[in-house]
């Protein structure tokens, strides 16, 4: 097959296979066997079955990893989700790619508490280097940042536990919270959050919990202007509003997930965010 397109007929066929009881892995295997491109086949499965039902890896996941993807319970599309100790609003949800905007995830006091703790420890942000020597300062990210240890304080623990309940993903599969502060003019140019398979540093990084499979960016304040989180592939801009958050998941480390995203320049005021990255397995 040359130009492959996800047609309504293909979607109907996938739907029929699923109704007949065939698991997503078997449907994928059948599609690959009849010449479908792996990326297109997975996109079609995710579109019809939803991102959490689609196969996460080919074939057989690594030992110690959790199947599926982090995913809030949107089955009844209730306007609020009980996240254990807080009622979290669902402001918007997109199925493909999976992007959900939450309201009221954090209280004002929690936001202020994190920024106060983090503010003392800010250093020029670092991102993953393309070599094998750890981190390096990256011009694509002009914010300042720091990492908390997982469970470092009571406040951090409470928020991490709320996130685990909300996204139905084990707490120990999460990295420590990262806090970023953007001053006017600072931005985070579009990127993917998964670890690039071709980078020399990636095999070492993957030993500590496997790939990242989802991101939750929590807004700790409301900038005066600018600073939206942008998703260029899908034309989505999420406004940074204190206490709100944007969640997105990606079932493979590939641009076909359409999870390219960035932080647009802050035009006035500061922007503070806390990011939680979720891994396939236990993050050590
Ligand atoms: O601050 C943001 O909006 C943003 C944008 C893109 C944060 C991240 N990525 C991140 O923390 O990965
Ligand atoms: Zn990011």
């Amino acid at each position: 097959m040359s130009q492959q397109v996800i047609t309504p007929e293909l979607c109907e066929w996938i739907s029929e296979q699923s109704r007949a009881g065939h698991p997503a892995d078997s449907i994928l295997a059948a599609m690959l066997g009849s010449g479908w491109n792996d990326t297109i086949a997975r996109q079609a499965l995710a579109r019809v079955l939803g991102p959490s039902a689609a196969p996460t890896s080919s074939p057989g996941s690594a030992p110690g990893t959790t199947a599926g993807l982090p995913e809030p319970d949107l089955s009844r599309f209730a306007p609020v989700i009980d996240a254990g100790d807080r009622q979290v609003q669902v402001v918007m949800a997109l199925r493909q790619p999976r992007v959900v905007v939450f309201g009221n995830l954090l209280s004002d006091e929690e936001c202020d508490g994190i920024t106060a703790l983090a503010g003392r420890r800010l250093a020029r942000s670092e991102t993953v280097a393309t070599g094998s020597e750890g981190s390096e300062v990256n011009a694509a990210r002009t914010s300042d940042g720091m990492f908390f240890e997982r469970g470092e304080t009571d406040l951090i623990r409470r928020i991490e536990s709320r996130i685990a309940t909300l996204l139905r993903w084990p707490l120990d599969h999460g990295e420590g919270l990262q806090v970023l502060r953007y001053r006017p003019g600072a931005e985070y140019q579009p990127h993917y959050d998964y670890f690039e398979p071709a980078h020399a540093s990636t095999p070492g990084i993957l030993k500590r919990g496997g790939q990242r499979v989802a991101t939750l960016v929590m807004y700790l304040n409301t900038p005066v202007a600018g600073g939206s989180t942008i998703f260029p592939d899908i034309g989505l801009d999420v406004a940074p509003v204190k206490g709100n958050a944007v969640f997105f998941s990606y079932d493979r480390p590939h641009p076909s997930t359409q999870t390219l995203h960035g932080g647009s320049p802050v035009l006035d005021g500061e922007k503070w965010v806390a990011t939680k990255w979720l891994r396939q397995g236990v993050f050590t």
Side-chain angles (χ1 to χ4, degrees):
M1 294 186 207
S2 48
Q3 177 74 16
Q4 298 193 337
V5 178
I6 302 173
T7 59
E9 292 72 28
L10 175 65
C11 294
E12 181 50 34
W13 178 82
I14 292 172
S15 187
E16 272 170 24
Q17 300 302 306
S18 178
R19 282 197 301 272
H22 299 294
D25 285 329
S26 311
I27 305 174
L28 175 65
M31 291 176 74
L32 298 180
S34 56
W36 281 95
N37 165 284
D38 183 74
T39 300
I40 305 282
R42 287 170 188 273
Q43 280 178 348
L45 283 163
R47 191 179 295 177
V48 177
L49 305 177
S52 56
T56 51
S57 63
S58 58
S61 298
T65 60
T66 300
L69 288 173
E71 173 75 351
D73 183 4
L74 301 176
S75 55
R76 296 186 307 129
F77 213 89
V80 290
I81 295 179
D82 182 359
D85 65 342
R86 194 165 176 86
Q87 301 293 306
V88 176
Q89 296 161 353
V90 179
V91 175
M92 181 225 80
L94 188 68
R95 285 174 206 272
Q96 189 58 37
R98 171 54 94 199
V99 180
V100 183
V101 178
F102 295 114
N104 194 45
L105 175 59
L106 303 176
S107 69
D108 282 359
E109 295 69 33
E110 288 170 336
C111 293
D112 297 344
I114 301 171
T115 50
L117 282 173
R120 302 175 201 135
R121 285 166 39 189
L122 286 177
R124 170 95 189 191
S125 290
E126 293 180 328
T127 52
V128 176
T130 51
S132 55
E133 298 301 318
S135 298
E136 65 187 15
V137 171
N138 189 326
R141 182 152 113 185
T142 46
S143 53
D144 302 303
M146 56 78 65
F147 274 93
F148 286 106
E149 293 289 321
R150 201 172 54 214
E152 190 175 318
T153 70
D154 285 349
L155 171 61
I156 302 284
R157 233 188 326 275
R158 172 167 20 118
I159 292 168
E160 288 175 335
S161 157
R162 185 180 305 156
I163 294 169
T165 305
L166 177 68
L167 300 179
R168 299 184 294 177
W169 201 247
L171 196 148
D172 64 9
H173 288 33
E175 297 179 28
L177 275 186
Q178 179 199 238
V179 175
L180 295 177
R181 178 191 59 194
Y182 302 76
R183 293 203 154 113
E187 66 181 314
Y188 197 169
Q189 288 174 7
H191 59 274
Y192 299 96
D193 280 354
Y194 54 73
F195 301 107
E196 181 53 54
H199 281 180
S201 58
T202 295
I205 291 170
L206 297 187
K207 288 185 189 142
R208 303 176 60 198
Q211 263 293 356
R212 287 177 175 163
V213 289
T215 303
L216 180 73
V217 178
M218 296 170 275
Y219 303 108
L220 303 178
N221 79 325
T222 307
V224 180
S228 59
T229 303
I230 54 170
F231 293 80
D233 286 351
I234 53 173
L236 178 66
D237 275 44
V238 179
V241 174
K242 186 173 184 174
N244 287 9
V246 59
F247 162 78
F248 53 98
S249 60
Y250 25 98
D251 61 3
R252 56 208 312 240
H254 195 274
S256 60
T257 55
Q258 298 181 291
T259 55
L260 185 69
H261 66 289
S264 65
V266 173
L267 302 176
D268 190 0
E270 290 188 347
K271 173 189 172 192
W272 289 72
V273 299
T275 301
K276 172 63 91 177
W277 285 294
L278 303 176
R279 297 288 194 102
Q280 289 173 304
V282 176
F283 177 74
T284 51

